[in-house]
Amino acid sequence: MRGKLRRPGKAVRDRLGLRTGLRWKLSAAIALVGALVTIALSLVVHNAARVSMLDNARDLADERVLIAQRNYELSDRPNFPNIKIDDPELPGALRTKVEGGRRATYVSDRPGQVPGIWAAVPVKGGHVLSLHTGFTDRSTDILHDLDQALVIGSIAVVFGGSALGVLIGGQLSRRLRKAAAAANQVARGEPDVRVRDAIGGVVRDETDDLARAVDAMADALQQRLEAERRVTADIAHELRTPVTGLLTAAELLPPGRPTELVLDRAKAMRTLVEDVLEVARLDGASERAELQDLLLGEFVSRRVIAKDPEIEVRVVHESEVTTDPRRLERVLFNLLANAARHGKPPIEVTVEGRVIRVRDHGPGFPRHLLADGPSRFRTGSTDRSGHGHGLGLTIAAGQARVLGARLTFRNVRPTGTPEDVPAEGAVAVLWLPEHAPTSTGSYPLLP
């Protein structure tokens, strides 16, 4: 279990499961825009059709009132259907226009009622001849059918837009997921991976620009890291000769406390130079494992007892593995040295199948190591610092990578114990692979 520190907002989102993909966001946006557009168009079409029908009804009423006017002038009586003389219900606005000597039409439209169509014309004797009809049932049915068609069309547009959004967003989302996976491979140390090749496709869009930018950044970082690695290796290599000479000269000094101090510092410097050279070689990803078949429990027991008989070794389950004994021993000894330097006894080593656990009973690993892994020249917080250059666990992790293994770190803490309470120990776990590393190197996969 890794002790990563997570931001409160991210933790809340993870607990609630609030995660939406690009395809659904794009689909929702297209559906919303489509719904707004279809609603607006439906209202415009409905109103335009209604106004057109009312205009046609007014024109028809105007024609009828003209015919009724001629008949009235010939026979002096209204003999046309729905014709009245001086109708008291005639709208005031229409009456005013007619009294001014003009023929006019009028629509009385009240909420919840069928629109009324009026047409009026002045006749002899100062009277007003008017015609009053209602909006026909046929026109109402036509509007109703039109509304149904608009609703069905709007629903079809919304669902079609959503499907189109899912299709387009899915394609873009797949390309972005491939780009993210390739970028993660580059971050894990696979320099041959290229994001542009990973996303593929013949369409050129902003995703390709992003992929090319990530590839360019990865190449630049790789070149810079390689240059720094070469500089570090060259410096360490050049220091080997003078440090060896210094150590040889110190051994020739007369016995005494000053000589012991000089020898101790010279040996520490030689160890540091050798560690820096080893880290540089591991960073170059050129190291290869020399494989042998061995019984893991027996191997660990013999090596640990030879190094420190007081360390307890427990073999829960024996297993035969194919690995590099020298590199495995290097990883094991570095873990033991870290436990002895920064932890507290007793130190326990457990072998179970292909898994090796090294536990101490000290204050636990620092938070930055649990979150980010080992860092060179960084020994952690004051409760686990003291001595060293932070290269022991870095070398152990690098050698584990060459073995195709995975090295994890965790603290022993009872369930529910707050983070500010000191841990009851630190546990480093080495997971050896089921299959031996290939000739081109191997990198562990998270379970």
Side-chain angles (χ1 to χ4, degrees):
M1 179 177 64
R2 296 179 66 84
K4 286 189 176 181
L5 298 178
R6 307 172 71 181
R7 291 175 294 180
K10 186 177 187 300
V12 172
R13 289 196 301 271
D14 290 345
R15 286 198 301 269
L16 297 178
L18 299 179
R19 180 179 178 181
T20 56
L22 180 63
R23 66 169 65 183
W24 303 117
K25 293 178 181 178
L26 187 59
S27 175
I30 293 178
L32 179 60
V33 173
L36 294 176
V37 171
T38 53
I39 290 174
L41 289 178
S42 298
L43 293 176
V44 170
V45 171
H46 174 84
N47 291 332
R50 189 172 185 273
V51 170
S52 178
M53 290 180 180
L54 289 176
D55 289 342
N56 291 335
R58 293 174 69 171
D59 292 341
L60 179 60
D62 186 60
E63 293 176 0
R64 289 180 177 179
V65 82
L66 281 176
I67 297 173
Q69 179 188 14
R70 296 191 190 98
N71 291 340
Y72 180 80
E73 290 176 349
L74 293 174
S75 61
D76 291 331
R77 61 187 180 85
N79 56 0
F80 200 86
N82 298 324
I83 290 295
K84 293 183 179 180
I85 302 296
D86 297 330
D87 189 350
E89 297 182 0
L90 189 69
L94 180 59
R95 183 183 297 277
T96 301
K97 291 181 179 180
V98 174
E99 289 177 351
R102 294 185 298 169
R103 187 179 76 252
T105 58
Y106 182 82
V107 177
S108 60
D109 192 3
R110 296 178 181 177
Q113 296 183 3
V114 177
I117 310 300
W118 293 84
V121 62
V123 294
K124 59 184 179 180
H127 298 290
V128 176
L129 184 145
S130 63
L131 170 68
H132 180 212
T133 58
F135 207 46
T136 63
D137 293 338
R138 177 176 174 79
S139 299
T140 303
D141 293 340
I142 291 175
L143 272 181
H144 184 264
D145 294 341
L146 178 62
D147 290 341
Q148 283 186 337
L150 290 174
V151 170
I152 295 174
S154 300
I155 294 175
V157 168
V158 170
F159 278 99
S162 300
L164 181 62
V166 171
L167 181 63
I168 298 175
Q171 179 67 20
L172 182 58
S173 179
R174 280 192 297 272
R175 289 167 64 84
L176 291 175
R177 283 198 300 270
K178 290 179 180 179
N184 285 330
Q185 288 180 296
V186 174
R188 288 198 298 267
E190 301 182 31
D192 296 333
V193 176
R194 289 296 175 266
V195 178
R196 180 62 194 87
D197 297 335
I199 63 177
V202 295
V203 179
R204 296 294 181 263
D205 54 15
E206 288 79 1
T207 310
D208 294 86
D209 298 336
L210 174 63
R212 291 190 180 90
V214 173
D215 288 340
M217 179 184 68
D219 290 338
L221 289 176
Q222 184 67 24
Q223 293 174 3
R224 186 169 182 176
L225 291 175
E226 181 63 20
E228 292 179 356
R229 186 192 68 81
R230 287 197 302 267
V231 170
T232 302
D234 292 342
I235 292 175
H237 182 75
E238 294 297 327
L239 285 175
R240 293 180 72 178
T241 301
V243 168
T244 302
L246 177 62
L247 183 59
T248 303
E251 291 175 349
L252 300 176
L253 294 175
R257 182 59 180 167
T259 301
E260 293 178 1
L261 292 176
V262 173
L263 280 173
D264 180 66
R265 292 299 88 196
K267 290 179 181 179
M269 184 176 295
R270 182 180 63 180
T271 301
L272 175 59
V273 170
E274 295 295 337
D275 287 348
V276 170
L277 277 173
E278 186 172 359
V279 170
R281 290 195 300 268
L282 292 172
D283 286 345
S286 59
E287 296 288 286
R288 296 294 177 262
E290 298 178 1
L291 305 177
Q292 296 181 19
D293 294 332
L294 53 87
L295 294 176
L296 186 60
E298 179 184 350
F299 175 84
V300 172
S301 298
R302 285 191 286 106
R303 294 298 191 276
V304 172
I305 292 176
K307 181 176 179 59
D308 188 349
E310 295 183 0
I311 297 178
E312 178 185 355
V313 181
R314 187 164 63 97
V315 180
V316 178
H317 175 65
E318 183 65 276
S319 177
E320 183 177 359
V321 298
T322 302
T323 187
D324 187 330
R326 181 181 65 84
R327 298 184 188 277
L328 179 59
E329 181 181 279
R330 178 68 160 150
V331 175
L332 180 62
F333 283 1
N334 279 20
L335 295 179
L336 292 175
N338 182 79
R341 181 180 296 116
H342 302 298
K344 294 180 180 179
I347 298 174
E348 303 170 354
V349 178
T350 304
V351 180
E352 184 175 357
R354 299 175 179 274
V355 180
I356 303 174
R357 294 181 176 85
V358 177
R359 178 188 175 179
D360 63 58
H361 290 73
F365 291 112
R367 292 185 178 182
H368 75 81
L369 188 144
L370 296 177
D372 304 322
S375 299
R376 63 196 66 179
F377 301 109
R378 185 176 182 182
T379 57
S381 56
T382 55
D383 55 356
R384 285 185 67 89
S385 55
H387 302 285
H389 303 281
L391 295 180
L393 293 183
T394 301
I395 293 174
Q399 295 288 9
R401 186 177 66 250
V402 176
L403 295 176
R406 185 166 60 94
L407 184 60
T408 62
F409 306 92
R410 66 181 179 88
N411 289 333
V412 180
R413 181 179 282 109
T415 304
T417 303
E419 290 292 333
D420 55 350
V421 176
E424 297 179 357
V427 180
V429 185
L430 180 67
W431 310 74
L432 292 175
E434 183 177 357
H435 303 287
T438 63
S439 59
T440 57
S442 177
Y443 297 90
L445 298 177
L446 294 177

